[in-house]
Amino acid sequence: MRMPDDMPIPQLKGDEGYKYLGTELRTGWANGEGQTEMRERCVADCKRVIWIIGNLPHLTGEQIRRNMALALSGIIGYYGRSTVITWEDCQSIEQVRASALNAKGYSVGIPRLQIYDVKERGGMGMEHAYTYACLLYTSDAADDLLCVD
């Protein structure tokens, strides 16, 4: 392949990888598993940070909510620009959030209404991890529409 000025475009071969929007990707489709490693890293980072925040002493419920929101939006925002974050990934992150809140003394139960419901009804006002994953998709789609010639 060549550029319009006849300069050759470098091609990746074999096991070479490249970084796209901060995410290391392998060449080709890789049998549909090209993003698995980055998704797993995103989920592991989210779980680790959520657990740490949930177990910090002396935080109020509002401070926990805000810190978890910032952590999830930052981590999912970074990886999700080029890696699909699935519903199952987000559910596993939310299980760690519920466990951390239980360890902190909050009784979140099932369904997890206390976590996500508004404060006026006794909830904590948190947003599901999938909210951040969906926001990335919709903002990227809107950006694509705005950039159409």
Side-chain angles (χ1 to χ4, degrees):
M1 294 180 69
R2 297 196 168 275
M3 297 289 285
D5 66 355
D6 210 32
M7 185 174 128
I9 300 173
Q11 301 293 309
L12 298 172
K13 296 178 179 93
D15 289 337
E16 294 177 329
Y18 63 101
K19 198 173 248 191
Y20 174 71
L21 295 174
T23 301
E24 297 170 20
L25 299 171
R26 293 183 278 164
T27 57
W29 177 242
N31 296 323
E33 299 296 320
Q35 296 184 345
T36 301
E37 183 180 335
M38 295 315 298
R39 281 185 31 249
E40 288 170 354
R41 184 184 300 178
C42 175
V43 171
D45 287 353
C46 287
K47 287 178 176 182
R48 183 175 56 252
V49 171
I50 290 297
W51 182 257
I52 289 169
I53 292 168
N55 285 284
L56 287 173
H58 311 299
L59 289 184
T60 66
E62 176 60 21
Q63 290 170 325
I64 292 171
R65 184 198 65 76
R66 185 176 301 145
N67 283 296
M68 286 184 177
L70 289 170
L72 287 178
S73 65
I75 295 168
I76 293 175
Y78 178 76
Y79 288 110
R81 295 178 297 161
S82 60
T83 304
V84 174
I85 310 300
T86 66
W87 171 254
E88 291 77 19
D89 296 332
C90 294
Q91 284 293 85
S92 68
I93 294 167
E94 292 301 322
Q95 287 208 299
V96 172
R97 183 197 311 247
S99 296
L101 291 172
N102 274 331
K104 188 81 168 168
Y106 294 99
S107 176
V108 294
I110 295 176
R112 309 241 186 261
L113 184 62
Q114 182 185 5
I115 298 174
Y116 309 113
D117 204 4
V118 294
K119 294 177 188 175
E120 292 78 20
R121 293 193 309 213
M124 298 180 83
M126 296 186 182
E127 293 176 333
H128 198 282
Y130 201 61
T131 304
Y132 303 108
C134 288
L135 282 172
L136 285 168
Y137 174 74
T138 55
S139 64
D140 185 49
D143 186 51
D144 288 348
L145 291 173
L146 292 173
C147 295
V148 173
D149 288 336

